[in-house]
Amino acid sequence: NAGVIQTPRHKVTGKGQEATLWCEPISGHSAVFWYRQTIVQGLEFLTYFRNQAPIDDSGMPKERFSAQMPNQSHSTLKIQSTQPQDSAVYLCASSSGQQANYEQYFGPGTRLTVL
Amino acid sequence: GDSVTQTEGLVTVTEGLPVMLNCTYQTAYSDVAFFWYVQYLNEAPKLLLRSSTDNKRTEHQGFHATLHKSSSSFHLQKSSVQLSDSALYYCALSDRGNMGYKLTFGTGTSLLVDP
């Protein structure tokens, strides 16, 4: 079991460019989550898929952020027209269960730097 | 919405001494689980321990926590810290709300263990 895989591990973009982040959840896990981590805000929820269907995107900045899960083996987080304040570590997590106490397994994250 | 409060940003403890990291929460839901995640430098957050049972002590890797719904708390404790315990600790909750089981995190507490 390779765990949750995220690519790239580091990405540097110029202001106004697009960034696409990839996540491969643990095989067999039905839930995929995206979080953003910054020093100031800590870990913040962005969006959540269950069985590939979008369930909750309440944490997503509405205008430039979008997420998809086209198949059970990967999810993408796309940020259009990146801004310096988007610089953060973006973490993907997956979970096997549908109860509140199920563990979420985190990937190593993608560190996005917007110049 | 849910909220988790970790009042200490940084806790410094001498090796061999006890430590307690504070965590309090607010939630309107009854089907809720509570977690402590630990994140070592340049690694992904990993589950340390979890609980959804009131007044029951949960232990793992020398750490323990007891959920107290009467005081809305889930403090993390260890009787004798080790240098290897230096890390960032997040308290989190997951509720069975309308939209599923996202994690709501506190802002995190950095634990630094001095020799």
Side-chain angles (χ1 to χ4, degrees):
Chain A
N1 189 338
V4 176
I5 298 172
Q6 290 190 251
T7 55
R9 293 293 310 276
H10 303 273
K11 186 170 183 65
V12 179
T13 65
K15 182 179 176 180
Q17 293 183 328
E18 182 178 288
T20 300
L21 314 180
W22 292 71
C23 170
E24 180 179 331
I26 294 172
S27 178
H29 281 192
S30 59
V32 172
F33 304 81
W34 284 95
Y35 296 90
R36 177 169 62 182
Q37 184 175 29
T38 61
I39 293 176
V40 174
Q41 298 292 336
L43 277 162
E44 300 174 291
F45 168 78
L46 293 175
T47 189
Y48 157 46
F49 295 85
R50 186 168 66 225
N51 296 321
Q52 300 173 232
I55 302 298
D56 182 358
D57 66 354
S58 59
M60 293 276 274
K62 295 305 180 188
E63 293 188 351
R64 300 181 292 106
F65 284 61
S66 62
Q68 293 183 325
M69 191 163 184
N71 56 60
Q72 64 184 5
S73 63
H74 88 273
S75 175
T76 57
L77 179 67
K78 182 180 292 185
I79 308 172
Q80 294 179 314
S81 185
T82 54
Q83 303 297 311
Q85 61 265 30
D86 299 331
S87 296
V89 176
Y90 290 83
L91 291 161
C92 177
S94 70
S95 175
S96 63
Q98 297 187 30
Q99 295 185 25
N101 64 346
Y102 273 70
E103 178 179 358
Q104 292 185 22
Y105 295 82
F106 285 82
T110 295
R111 182 176 297 277
L112 175 66
T113 301
V114 182
L115 301 176
Chain B
D2 298 334
S3 67
V4 177
T5 301
Q6 295 180 252
T7 53
E8 310 108 343
L10 172 65
V11 172
T12 303
V13 183
T14 301
E15 186 181 18
L17 294 184
V19 68
M20 184 171 80
L21 306 184
N22 291 314
C23 174
T24 57
Y25 65 89
Q26 287 187 319
T27 180
Y29 297 99
S30 57
D31 183 7
V32 188
F34 298 87
F35 304 80
W36 278 98
Y37 277 82
V38 59
Q39 186 176 27
Y40 298 100
L41 191 62
N42 296 322
E43 295 186 11
K46 296 179 182 178
L47 179 66
L48 179 59
L49 48 79
R50 60 182 153 181
S51 178
S52 55
T53 305
D54 197 12
N55 296 317
K56 180 180 178 180
R57 176 170 163 145
T58 300
E59 299 190 36
H60 187 61
Q61 295 183 341
F63 287 89
H64 64 91
T66 303
L67 175 62
H68 292 295
K69 292 186 177 181
S70 61
S71 58
S72 300
S73 68
F74 190 54
H75 305 319
L76 181 68
Q77 300 182 64
K78 190 172 187 181
S79 59
S80 176
V81 295
Q82 301 173 336
L83 292 174
S84 58
D85 294 327
S86 294
L88 180 58
Y89 292 80
Y90 284 103
C91 183
L93 71 81
S94 176
D95 70 70
R96 179 60 170 98
N98 293 333
M99 301 258 214
Y101 303 112
K102 68 183 181 186
L103 285 168
T104 298
F105 288 91
T107 50
T109 298
S110 290
L111 174 62
L112 179 61
V113 180
D114 287 335

